[in-house]
PDB file of all heavy atoms in Angstrom:
ATOM      1  N   VAL A  21      -1.357   5.483  -2.863  1.00  0.00           N
ATOM      2  CA  VAL A  21      -0.367   5.762  -1.826  1.00  0.00           C
ATOM      3  C   VAL A  21       0.130   4.465  -1.198  1.00  0.00           C
ATOM      4  O   VAL A  21       1.336   4.280  -0.986  1.00  0.00           O
ATOM      5  CB  VAL A  21      -0.953   6.712  -0.746  1.00  0.00           C
ATOM      6  CG1 VAL A  21      -0.041   6.795   0.461  1.00  0.00           C
ATOM      7  CG2 VAL A  21      -1.189   8.091  -1.340  1.00  0.00           C
ATOM      8  N   VAL A  22      -0.787   3.552  -0.920  1.00  0.00           N
ATOM      9  CA  VAL A  22      -0.407   2.263  -0.320  1.00  0.00           C
ATOM     10  C   VAL A  22       0.522   1.503  -1.260  1.00  0.00           C
ATOM     11  O   VAL A  22       1.531   0.944  -0.840  1.00  0.00           O
ATOM     12  CB  VAL A  22      -1.662   1.425   0.011  1.00  0.00           C
ATOM     13  CG1 VAL A  22      -1.301  -0.008   0.352  1.00  0.00           C
ATOM     14  CG2 VAL A  22      -2.419   2.074   1.152  1.00  0.00           C
ATOM     15  N   GLU A  23       0.185   1.509  -2.559  1.00  0.00           N
ATOM     16  CA  GLU A  23       1.018   0.822  -3.542  1.00  0.00           C
ATOM     17  C   GLU A  23       2.416   1.438  -3.601  1.00  0.00           C
ATOM     18  O   GLU A  23       3.418   0.725  -3.620  1.00  0.00           O
ATOM     19  CB  GLU A  23       0.351   0.906  -4.919  1.00  0.00           C
ATOM     20  CG  GLU A  23       1.098   0.194  -6.015  1.00  0.00           C
ATOM     21  CD  GLU A  23       0.977  -1.311  -5.929  1.00  0.00           C
ATOM     22  OE1 GLU A  23       0.072  -1.803  -5.244  1.00  0.00           O
ATOM     23  OE2 GLU A  23       1.805  -1.991  -6.556  1.00  0.00           O
ATOM     24  N   GLU A  24       2.490   2.777  -3.606  1.00  0.00           N
ATOM     25  CA  GLU A  24       3.792   3.450  -3.638  1.00  0.00           C
ATOM     26  C   GLU A  24       4.614   3.108  -2.405  1.00  0.00           C
ATOM     27  O   GLU A  24       5.818   2.849  -2.499  1.00  0.00           O
ATOM     28  CB  GLU A  24       3.607   4.964  -3.727  1.00  0.00           C
ATOM     29  CG  GLU A  24       3.123   5.436  -5.084  1.00  0.00           C
ATOM     30  CD  GLU A  24       2.806   6.917  -5.093  1.00  0.00           C
ATOM     31  OE1 GLU A  24       2.981   7.590  -4.041  1.00  0.00           O
ATOM     32  OE2 GLU A  24       2.390   7.416  -6.141  1.00  0.00           O
ATOM     33  N   ARG A  25       3.978   3.109  -1.240  1.00  0.00           N
ATOM     34  CA  ARG A  25       4.704   2.778  -0.004  1.00  0.00           C
ATOM     35  C   ARG A  25       5.191   1.338  -0.022  1.00  0.00           C
ATOM     36  O   ARG A  25       6.294   1.037   0.416  1.00  0.00           O
ATOM     37  CB  ARG A  25       3.804   2.997   1.213  1.00  0.00           C
ATOM     38  CG  ARG A  25       3.579   4.447   1.525  1.00  0.00           C
ATOM     39  CD  ARG A  25       2.740   4.584   2.764  1.00  0.00           C
ATOM     40  NE  ARG A  25       2.440   5.987   3.020  1.00  0.00           N
ATOM     41  CZ  ARG A  25       1.621   6.394   3.960  1.00  0.00           C
ATOM     42  NH1 ARG A  25       1.026   5.530   4.740  1.00  0.00           N
ATOM     43  NH2 ARG A  25       1.392   7.685   4.137  1.00  0.00           N
ATOM     44  N   ARG A  26       4.343   0.439  -0.527  1.00  0.00           N
ATOM     45  CA  ARG A  26       4.729  -0.973  -0.589  1.00  0.00           C
ATOM     46  C   ARG A  26       5.953  -1.150  -1.486  1.00  0.00           C
ATOM     47  O   ARG A  26       6.899  -1.866  -1.138  1.00  0.00           O
ATOM     48  CB  ARG A  26       3.559  -1.788  -1.138  1.00  0.00           C
ATOM     49  CG  ARG A  26       3.796  -3.278  -1.113  1.00  0.00           C
ATOM     50  CD  ARG A  26       2.612  -4.044  -1.667  1.00  0.00           C
ATOM     51  NE  ARG A  26       1.410  -3.807  -0.874  1.00  0.00           N
ATOM     52  CZ  ARG A  26       0.192  -3.609  -1.394  1.00  0.00           C
ATOM     53  NH1 ARG A  26       0.014  -3.618  -2.685  1.00  0.00           N
ATOM     54  NH2 ARG A  26      -0.843  -3.419  -0.602  1.00  0.00           N
ATOM     55  N   ILE A  27       5.956  -0.477  -2.627  1.00  0.00           N
ATOM     56  CA  ILE A  27       7.094  -0.574  -3.553  1.00  0.00           C
ATOM     57  C   ILE A  27       8.341   0.013  -2.905  1.00  0.00           C
ATOM     58  O   ILE A  27       9.424  -0.570  -2.966  1.00  0.00           O
ATOM     59  CB  ILE A  27       6.759   0.139  -4.875  1.00  0.00           C
ATOM     60  CG1 ILE A  27       5.693  -0.651  -5.630  1.00  0.00           C
ATOM     61  CG2 ILE A  27       8.012   0.303  -5.728  1.00  0.00           C
ATOM     62  CD1 ILE A  27       5.133   0.089  -6.824  1.00  0.00           C
ATOM     63  N   ALA A  28       8.198   1.174  -2.264  1.00  0.00           N
ATOM     64  CA  ALA A  28       9.354   1.824  -1.636  1.00  0.00           C
ATOM     65  C   ALA A  28       9.931   0.951  -0.519  1.00  0.00           C
ATOM     66  O   ALA A  28      11.148   0.815  -0.404  1.00  0.00           O
ATOM     67  CB  ALA A  28       8.947   3.187  -1.085  1.00  0.00           C
ATOM     68  N   LEU A  29       9.064   0.354   0.294  1.00  0.00           N
ATOM     69  CA  LEU A  29       9.546  -0.497   1.386  1.00  0.00           C
ATOM     70  C   LEU A  29      10.212  -1.754   0.838  1.00  0.00           C
ATOM     71  O   LEU A  29      11.207  -2.215   1.388  1.00  0.00           O
ATOM     72  CB  LEU A  29       8.388  -0.882   2.309  1.00  0.00           C
ATOM     73  CG  LEU A  29       7.900   0.214   3.248  1.00  0.00           C
ATOM     74  CD1 LEU A  29       6.659  -0.239   3.993  1.00  0.00           C
ATOM     75  CD2 LEU A  29       8.985   0.606   4.225  1.00  0.00           C
ATOM     76  N   ALA A  30       9.678  -2.300  -0.241  1.00  0.00           N
ATOM     77  CA  ALA A  30      10.268  -3.499  -0.829  1.00  0.00           C
ATOM     78  C   ALA A  30      11.659  -3.187  -1.379  1.00  0.00           C
ATOM     79  O   ALA A  30      12.587  -3.972  -1.212  1.00  0.00           O
ATOM     80  CB  ALA A  30       9.367  -4.041  -1.938  1.00  0.00           C
ATOM     81  N   GLN A  31      11.818  -2.043  -2.011  1.00  0.00           N
ATOM     82  CA  GLN A  31      13.123  -1.670  -2.560  1.00  0.00           C
ATOM     83  C   GLN A  31      14.113  -1.370  -1.450  1.00  0.00           C
ATOM     84  O   GLN A  31      15.285  -1.708  -1.546  1.00  0.00           O
ATOM     85  CB  GLN A  31      12.978  -0.458  -3.478  1.00  0.00           C
ATOM     86  CG  GLN A  31      12.290  -0.785  -4.778  1.00  0.00           C
ATOM     87  CD  GLN A  31      12.046   0.438  -5.626  1.00  0.00           C
ATOM     88  OE1 GLN A  31      12.214   1.566  -5.164  1.00  0.00           O
ATOM     89  NE2 GLN A  31      11.633   0.231  -6.851  1.00  0.00           N
ATOM     90  N   ARG A  32      13.642  -0.732  -0.400  1.00  0.00           N
ATOM     91  CA  ARG A  32      14.535  -0.374   0.707  1.00  0.00           C
ATOM     92  C   ARG A  32      14.882  -1.596   1.548  1.00  0.00           C
ATOM     93  O   ARG A  32      15.974  -1.713   2.080  1.00  0.00           O
ATOM     94  CB  ARG A  32      13.852   0.675   1.587  1.00  0.00           C
ATOM     95  CG  ARG A  32      14.800   1.325   2.568  1.00  0.00           C
ATOM     96  CD  ARG A  32      14.125   2.385   3.345  1.00  0.00           C
ATOM     97  NE  ARG A  32      13.026   1.797   4.122  1.00  0.00           N
ATOM     98  CZ  ARG A  32      12.281   2.479   4.960  1.00  0.00           C
ATOM     99  NH1 ARG A  32      12.477   3.758   5.113  1.00  0.00           N
ATOM    100  NH2 ARG A  32      11.316   1.896   5.634  1.00  0.00           N
ATOM    101  N   GLY A  33      13.965  -2.543   1.668  1.00  0.00           N
ATOM    102  CA  GLY A  33      14.170  -3.690   2.541  1.00  0.00           C
ATOM    103  C   GLY A  33      15.031  -4.783   1.953  1.00  0.00           C
ATOM    104  O   GLY A  33      15.602  -5.576   2.674  1.00  0.00           O
ATOM    105  N   ARG A  34      15.137  -4.843   0.637  1.00  0.00           N
ATOM    106  CA  ARG A  34      15.895  -5.928  -0.003  1.00  0.00           C
ATOM    107  C   ARG A  34      17.361  -5.997   0.397  1.00  0.00           C
ATOM    108  O   ARG A  34      17.815  -7.060   0.770  1.00  0.00           O
ATOM    109  CB  ARG A  34      15.773  -5.811  -1.525  1.00  0.00           C
ATOM    110  CG  ARG A  34      14.717  -6.713  -2.053  1.00  0.00           C
ATOM    111  CD  ARG A  34      14.758  -6.848  -3.554  1.00  0.00           C
ATOM    112  NE  ARG A  34      13.394  -7.008  -4.013  1.00  0.00           N
ATOM    113  CZ  ARG A  34      12.826  -6.277  -4.939  1.00  0.00           C
ATOM    114  NH1 ARG A  34      13.482  -5.342  -5.549  1.00  0.00           N
ATOM    115  NH2 ARG A  34      11.575  -6.484  -5.275  1.00  0.00           N
ATOM    116  N   PRO A  35      18.134  -4.902   0.339  1.00  0.00           N
ATOM    117  CA  PRO A  35      19.557  -5.018   0.700  1.00  0.00           C
ATOM    118  C   PRO A  35      19.773  -5.514   2.131  1.00  0.00           C
ATOM    119  O   PRO A  35      20.660  -6.310   2.381  1.00  0.00           O
ATOM    120  CB  PRO A  35      20.087  -3.601   0.525  1.00  0.00           C
ATOM    121  CG  PRO A  35      19.151  -2.969  -0.448  1.00  0.00           C
ATOM    122  CD  PRO A  35      17.805  -3.597  -0.169  1.00  0.00           C
TER     123      PRO A  35
END
Side-chain angles (χ1 to χ4, degrees):
V21 169
V22 168
E23 182 74 18
E24 288 174 1
R25 287 183 184 173
R26 186 180 299 138
I27 291 170
L29 285 174
Q31 288 175 349
R32 193 177 62 177
R34 262 192 214 127

